[in-house]
């Protein structure tokens, strides 16, 4: 591909991609002739990047919605103990986020040449199941890392920011805004002592959702890190950010937590 001419490279999408990848982004940027030849490929790559970024934002949004729904469902179970309720929340959220973050991109881009009709019929009944097995990759080839691997990597980088940001907003920013709103002006003079104590008492530390985010990060990283080594760096950044923010929230912005048993640790 290094010796191809522009006409040879532009025969089809595959030859153009091979030609442009061989040249590299630096040569494309500084060489006008190469840039003109690779312009369609650059537009395609930029569009794919925008789609992946939007997909990662959707994954973060879905994870937040699923987390809220599963927390409510677990509380509806009426568990026998607080530890049992938090363990139920933890494993449900962990499983849902692992599937959404790490396996949905894999299944959508997975190509199955010969899928039994019975399985295909079942998948067509499930919402979204018609997309499973109709992708472009049946093995971990170079293109898989460019598309699927990059999507998973983007999801995990978003995971570095999203859970700590949610915790920062829910434990530090929103309570401060709530207290300011309810005590502004002369309203505070009309509040009774129990109302003030309730207003200024911090919320409980949400250990189950923090545990689930950690389990999801470790599981997805260990699954794909052999082919995507940068996932280890993303997991490290997540754990550092989680450690310091959890420490601040637990010690400064949460009320004293109850005693938990080892159920969550054993399940994870």
């Amino acid at each position: 591909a290094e010796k191809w001419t522009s006409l040879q490279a532009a025969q089809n999408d595959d030859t153009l991609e091979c030609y442009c990848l061989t040249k590299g982004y630096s040569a494309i940027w500084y060489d006008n002739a190469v840039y003109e030849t690779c312009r369609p490929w650059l537009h395609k790559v930029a569009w794919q990047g925008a789609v992946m970024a939007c997909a990662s934002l959707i994954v973060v949004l879905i994870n937040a919605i699923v987390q809220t729904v599963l927390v409510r469902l677990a509380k509806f179970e009426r568990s026998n103990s607080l530890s049992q309720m938090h363990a139920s929340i933890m494993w449900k959220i962990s499983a849902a986020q692992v599937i959404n973050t790490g396996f949905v991109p894999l299944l959508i881009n997975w190509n199955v040449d010969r899928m039994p009709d019975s399985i295909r019929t079942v998948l067509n009944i499930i919402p979204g199941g018609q997309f499973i097995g109709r992708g472009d990759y049946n093995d971990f080839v170079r293109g898989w890392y460019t598309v699927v691997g990059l999507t998973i990597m983007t999801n995990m980088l978003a995971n570095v920011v999203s859970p700590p940001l949610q915790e920062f907003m829910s434990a530090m920013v929103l309570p401060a805004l709530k207290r300011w709103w309810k005590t502004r002006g002369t309203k505070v003079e009309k509040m009774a002592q129990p109302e003030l104590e309730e207003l200024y008492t911090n919320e409980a530390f949400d250990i189950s959702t923090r545990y689930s985010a950690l389990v999801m990060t470790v599981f997805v990283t260990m699954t794909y890190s052999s082919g995507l080594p940068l996932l280890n760096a993303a997991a490290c950044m997540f754990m550092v950010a989680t450690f310091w923010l959890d420490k601040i929230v637990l010690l400064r912005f949460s009320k004293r937590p109850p005693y938990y048993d080892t159920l969550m640790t054993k399940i994870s």
Side-chain angles (χ1 to χ4, degrees):
E2 295 180 356
K3 299 181 180 179
W4 288 354
T5 63
S6 300
L7 293 176
Q8 291 175 328
Q11 291 180 1
N12 53 60
D13 292 340
D14 293 334
T15 57
L16 181 61
E17 181 178 5
C18 183
Y19 173 80
C20 296
L21 287 174
T22 303
K23 291 295 183 182
Y25 290 98
S26 179
I28 294 174
W29 183 258
Y30 290 106
D31 193 327
N32 290 331
V34 178
Y35 175 78
E36 291 298 327
T37 303
C38 295
R39 179 184 292 181
W41 178 78
L42 289 174
H43 291 171
K44 179 181 177 181
V45 171
W47 173 252
Q48 289 177 345
V51 170
M52 283 188 292
C54 293
S56 297
L57 291 177
I58 293 173
V59 167
V60 170
L61 180 62
I62 292 175
N63 282 343
I65 294 174
V66 168
Q67 175 176 308
T68 302
V69 173
L70 290 179
V71 167
R72 293 183 180 274
L73 290 177
K75 291 180 178 180
F76 184 73
E77 292 176 355
R78 301 292 190 270
S79 302
N80 294 327
S81 65
L82 193 61
S83 295
Q84 188 176 356
M85 183 189 72
H86 281 285
S88 177
I89 294 173
M90 186 269 294
W91 81 261
K92 287 181 174 66
I93 295 177
S94 299
Q97 291 185 348
V98 164
I99 294 172
N100 189 40
T101 304
F103 289 100
V104 168
L106 176 68
L107 294 175
I108 291 178
N109 291 277
W110 178 36
N111 180 269
V112 182
D113 296 330
R114 298 179 180 179
M115 180 178 291
D117 294 336
S118 57
I119 298 178
R120 175 56 63 187
T121 302
V122 173
L123 290 176
N124 289 335
I125 297 174
I126 302 174
Q130 63 271 20
F131 299 107
I132 297 177
R134 300 184 185 274
D136 299 325
Y137 308 102
N138 55 11
D139 203 350
F140 295 97
V141 295
R142 179 177 180 178
W144 185 93
Y145 290 96
T146 305
V147 178
V148 186
L150 187 57
T151 301
I152 295 173
M153 187 67 206
T154 306
N155 292 345
M156 295 302 292
L157 288 175
N159 179 66
V160 174
V161 179
S162 175
L165 182 61
Q166 291 178 18
E167 185 177 15
F168 172 76
M169 293 296 295
S170 62
M172 300 167 67
V173 177
L174 294 181
L177 292 176
K178 179 181 178 182
R179 289 162 189 160
W180 170 80
W181 179 258
K182 290 192 173 183
T183 58
R184 72 190 193 282
T186 60
K187 286 187 174 183
V188 66
E189 299 175 358
K190 302 177 183 179
M191 299 181 71
Q193 183 67 26
E195 294 177 320
L196 289 172
E197 291 179 355
E198 181 181 359
L199 182 62
Y200 282 91
T201 299
N202 294 320
E203 296 292 334
F205 183 74
D206 193 359
I207 188 172
S208 54
T209 57
R210 308 305 302 139
Y211 232 123
S212 63
L214 181 62
V215 170
M216 185 273 291
T217 301
V218 172
F219 190 91
V220 175
T221 300
M222 295 299 292
T223 301
Y224 295 106
S225 61
S226 59
L228 300 170
L230 287 178
L231 285 177
N232 295 309
C236 180
M237 290 188 291
F238 169 80
M239 292 178 186
V240 170
T242 298
F243 172 79
W244 284 107
L245 188 58
D246 283 355
K247 185 176 182 179
I248 294 171
V249 170
L250 178 61
L251 298 180
R252 299 293 183 182
F253 297 95
S254 300
K255 62 183 179 182
R256 180 174 295 181
Y259 291 101
Y260 296 105
D261 57 21
T262 59
L263 184 58
M264 278 187 288
T265 306
K266 291 179 180 178
I267 292 177
S268 63

